[in-house]
Amino acid sequence: MFSRIFQNREAVPSASENTNMVTIDALAAPEAPAHPPPVEGVPTITVSSSAEYEAVAANEEASVLAMASLRAVALANESVDEASKPPTDIVAVVDVSGSMAGSKMETMKQALKFVVEKGLGAQDSFSLVTFASGVDVELHFTKMDAQGKKSAVRVVEALHTKGATNLSGGLLQGLDLVCQKARAAGALGRGTTKSVLLFTDGQANNGVTDTPGIVAAVSQVLPQTAQEGSPASIFTFGFGADHNETMLAALADVSGSGQYFFVDRAEAIPVAFADALGGLVSVVAQNAELVAEVVEGRCTIGKVLGDAYKHEVAPDGSRAALHVGDLYAEDEKDLIVEIKLPKAAVAQDAPLPHITWSIRYFSVQKRDFETSTALLCVSRPLAAPVSQAVNPAIVEQRERLYVAEVMKNAADIADGGDVKGGQALLREAEERLRSSDVKSPMVTTLVEDLATVSAQYATRELYESEGRKTTWMSSKVHYQQRSAMTHGGAYEKRSKKAMKSRFVSAPPSAS
């Protein structure tokens, strides 16, 4: 086996190295909202570990890839209409500048009514902020019981377009509403999923208008939304060809658990909202942090592969920390680090622990903090087996990160003036995967997304209007292993599909 997972105390060198050993810190929160019942004895997040090679010869120095695989439990109840799901606070921050007039605004209204009427339950809260030249709080946080839904729908239906685009003012106002509610809730807010949904079709031209300035302002405010729980995530939706995808993608990245969606046509607005909400209402773990610690100096940690998550590696290579953020039901996250193995003083055929992985998070279902652990083991025999193959699971995940990086590089090449050069890079990657020995649903998804993205590099005009935006979105999809609309289908699990299906299965009720 490529992964040695110690399931009982007898198989473990010490109690601190127990795989999937769960530590629980109980919270005193009397009158907390109801949550789906957890499965007894099963951690919300499990972690397993595997190495690129099972064995490395004792007399060799080597660089080896090590992977931690995180798996989240399924929801005990998949219905978005049931009061048993974790509470969700959502602020919709909507562009109502003049360019949103007509079909865009009408479709936006329908999408917002979908969020209110089909996506949120009585334990959830909804707020609405609009921005044009100025900023207006159209609806403060309101519980989405029957009366609250009616009030929210009336507010949505009254929206109209006006003025310029003060994007920064709208977003910061939305975050401030989250801060105020989080402070008021205190410890009782733990387990609440908090999110800002930002929708715009244009460029920021009022207030703070540059990307670094807006990102800096949001970065300063965002930690204040955490209070006793997890900070708010930011989901950004860019409609049409004229929005600033660089800014929207950067804002989604600030929160760690957010996403950027490119919405190319009006009828796709509800689909994009459904995709985001389908994930938000299935959050099972918050504030997850994965730590890798070297065991007895047997290796050093070199680098973390990919840029999906903020991370720090100790200067001496003894420790690495990755900030994973929130996880949805059935989420699968595979995080890879490069470790460097020195020559071993003594040959050892038995697998030896080299890395202890631990992931700590707040379990939404249990309202407790949990820690799950696993060991990375590698043997150091006199000679590695001649027939030893590379771990196929790591090969697959390495291809995923390769494609995400290729997409990022292709956009850089195109932005430098060589659109055809960017397209050639994408097609080269597509051909590589088509001829690869690795066959899986994920590889099929990678090939399909490469083809979709490369087609939008046919001309500079098409690249500028759609290609760059699709590239930004798709690259992050594969870095994060999280689907967005039609991209990354292999990452979309049963729980999220069920949520999305319920969200878009019927039109909103008549008002």
Side-chain angles (χ1 to χ4, degrees):
M1 292 175 59
F2 290 102
S3 174
R4 292 186 59 84
I5 306 176
F6 298 101
Q7 299 292 352
N8 54 62
R9 194 175 180 86
E10 287 73 25
V12 184
S14 70
S16 64
E17 295 169 340
N18 191 10
T19 299
N20 286 334
M21 177 180 70
V22 180
T23 304
I24 297 177
D25 305 324
L27 297 176
E31 305 192 12
H35 296 278
V39 179
E40 187 175 353
V42 177
T44 303
I45 306 297
T46 58
V47 56
S48 61
S49 183
S50 55
E52 188 176 11
Y53 296 99
E54 284 187 310
V56 175
N59 64 348
E60 294 181 0
E61 296 180 353
S63 291
V64 175
L65 298 182
M67 181 167 73
S69 296
L70 311 179
R71 301 294 182 261
V73 296
L75 287 177
N77 186 337
E78 292 175 351
S79 172
V80 298
D81 298 317
E82 294 293 331
S84 60
K85 77 176 181 63
T88 302
D89 290 347
I90 288 180
V91 182
V93 178
V94 180
D95 184 349
V96 293
S97 60
S99 60
M100 283 289 293
S103 64
K104 285 187 282 190
M105 180 52 66
E106 292 309 308
T107 307
M108 169 59 65
K109 289 181 181 181
Q110 291 298 313
L112 289 172
K113 286 193 279 188
F114 271 34
V115 171
V116 168
E117 296 183 330
K118 294 188 65 63
L120 301 177
Q123 77 283 10
D124 301 321
S125 296
F126 178 74
S127 178
L128 177 62
V129 174
T130 59
F131 64 93
S133 298
V135 176
D136 293 297
V137 179
E138 308 287 354
L139 182 72
H140 285 273
F141 271 117
T142 302
K143 285 287 187 182
M144 288 294 97
D145 53 20
Q147 186 57 47
K149 286 177 183 282
K150 289 180 181 178
S151 298
V153 167
R154 283 197 297 269
V155 170
V156 168
E157 289 178 337
L159 294 180
H160 60 278
T161 57
K162 54 190 175 183
T165 309
N166 187 358
L167 187 152
S168 64
L171 179 56
L172 292 171
Q173 177 65 76
L175 288 170
D176 185 49
L177 291 175
V178 177
C179 290
Q180 293 178 43
K181 191 171 188 296
R183 281 195 293 269
L188 290 178
R190 274 183 173 157
T192 298
T193 299
K194 295 166 282 191
S195 187
V196 175
L197 309 183
L198 171 67
F199 189 96
T200 183
D201 73 333
Q203 307 276 338
N205 53 29
N206 259 27
V208 182
T209 59
D210 64 297
T211 297
I214 293 180
V215 169
V218 170
S219 298
Q220 186 172 353
V221 172
L222 198 63
Q224 300 173 43
T225 66
Q227 299 299 319
E228 295 284 341
S230 180
S233 55
I234 300 174
F235 289 77
T236 58
F237 303 83
F239 180 79
D242 297 328
H243 69 272
N244 184 341
E245 65 276 5
T246 304
M247 176 181 290
L248 295 188
L251 290 170
D253 283 348
V254 169
S255 63
S257 297
Q259 280 183 282
Y260 159 65
F261 292 82
F262 167 43
V263 186
D264 60 351
R265 58 195 187 283
E267 56 267 32
I269 295 174
V271 178
F273 271 45
D275 200 302
L277 195 66
L280 287 172
V281 297
S282 64
V283 170
V284 295
Q286 296 175 336
N287 268 355
E289 180 174 84
L290 178 70
V291 174
E293 293 182 297
V294 171
V295 177
E296 297 181 7
R298 293 187 177 126
C299 64
T300 56
I301 299 171
K303 63 180 180 180
V304 176
L305 273 62
D307 69 352
Y309 308 104
K310 296 177 183 177
H311 58 266
E312 301 90 32
V313 178
D316 63 357
S318 62
R319 186 180 189 274
L322 298 88
H323 307 281
V324 181
D326 295 350
L327 283 89
Y328 302 159
E330 297 179 278
D331 249 352
E332 297 182 0
K333 304 291 184 186
D334 298 282
L335 301 101
I336 301 176
V337 300
E338 180 186 71
I339 62 172
K340 298 177 181 179
L341 285 76
K343 292 180 181 179
V346 179
Q348 185 105 5
D349 289 334
L352 291 173
H354 281 64
I355 297 285
T356 298
W357 296 98
S358 61
I359 182 164
R360 184 169 174 79
Y361 53 90
F362 180 78
S363 172
V364 173
Q365 294 175 312
K366 300 174 185 176
R367 292 190 60 77
D368 294 326
F369 285 101
E370 292 184 338
T371 301
S372 298
T373 64
L375 292 175
L376 173 79
C377 293
V378 179
S379 63
R380 302 300 304 270
L382 286 173
V386 176
S387 60
Q388 179 174 233
V390 181
N391 183 344
I394 287 187
V395 172
E396 182 183 52
Q397 297 304 326
R398 195 170 57 194
E399 295 287 41
R400 171 179 63 81
L401 293 173
Y402 161 73
V403 167
E405 192 69 21
V406 162
M407 289 181 176
K408 187 177 173 183
N409 292 340
D412 287 343
I413 292 170
D415 287 342
D418 187 4
V419 174
K420 288 301 181 183
Q423 185 180 53
L425 186 62
L426 292 165
R427 287 179 172 172
E428 178 185 334
E430 180 185 348
E431 183 55 35
R432 167 177 154 172
L433 264 65
R434 286 188 187 278
S435 59
S436 171
D437 292 334
V438 182
K439 306 297 181 185
S440 70
M442 190 178 75
V443 171
T444 299
T445 289
L446 293 173
V447 170
E448 291 172 350
D449 286 355
L450 282 166
T452 298
V453 172
S454 66
Q456 295 180 357
Y457 283 59
T459 65
R460 169 152 290 280
E461 292 72 24
L462 182 58
Y463 172 75
E464 294 286 353
S465 63
E466 298 184 18
R468 183 191 293 114
K469 298 169 177 61
T470 302
T471 304
W472 275 94
M473 180 173 69
S474 193
S475 176
K476 283 299 180 183
V477 160
H478 297 301
Y479 272 131
Q480 295 179 323
Q481 292 172 270
R482 184 162 284 170
S483 63
M485 300 176 71
T486 60
H487 294 261
Y491 311 129
E492 187 174 77
K493 303 304 178 183
R494 180 172 52 88
S495 297
K496 185 177 178 183
K497 284 181 180 177
M499 294 294 182
K500 286 176 61 178
S501 174
R502 293 175 186 274
F503 184 50
V504 298
S505 59
S509 58
S511 53

